[in-house]
Amino acid sequence: MSIDGPRTDSGTSVPRPPRRSRGFALVLVIVYGIFALSATARSLVQILTEFEHAPFAYLLSLAAAATYIAATVLLARRGGESRAALWLCSAELLGVLVVGTLTVLDPELFPDATVWSQYGAGYGWVPLALPIVAIVFLLTRRRAAARRAVR
């Protein structure tokens, strides 16, 4: 590692993002990690104890948990420089919007709530806000990195 930051495969130095940005990235990773743990625990308990009651809802909660786990790993390992993280957070937002809309328009489809039901209302709408914040953060980091590369 150099003073500027980690080295690429070609040996050139990659400039580090501003300290404030790294701090926000850490907060984002922590929040995603908390949601990964809570969504995983909730969905596994529901699947193991009452799967026959609402299998589709519980499998959707497990899919949400997998999304949160993957986002946590991508954001932690790549620090927001990953195109995969941007795609994953976009897919997460789409999932929240689709599931949220379905639960509002046709509640009978979901006899029990999922993490993304009613746009994450059961979790204080954090499931709706989190991918939006992550996408804005990732796009901002990407633009800043492009500006630094031009200099």
Side-chain angles (χ1 to χ4, degrees), residues 69-84:
I69 291 168
T72 302
V73 171
L74 285 172
L75 290 168
R77 293 191 73 208
R78 301 296 307 267
E81 302 295 331
S82 171
R83 182 176 292 170

Side-chain angles (χ1 to χ4, degrees), residues 21-34 130:
S21 179
R22 286 192 311 232
F24 187 79
L26 179 61
V27 170
L28 201 55
V29 168
I30 290 169
V31 173
Y32 263 104
I34 290 168
L130 192 57

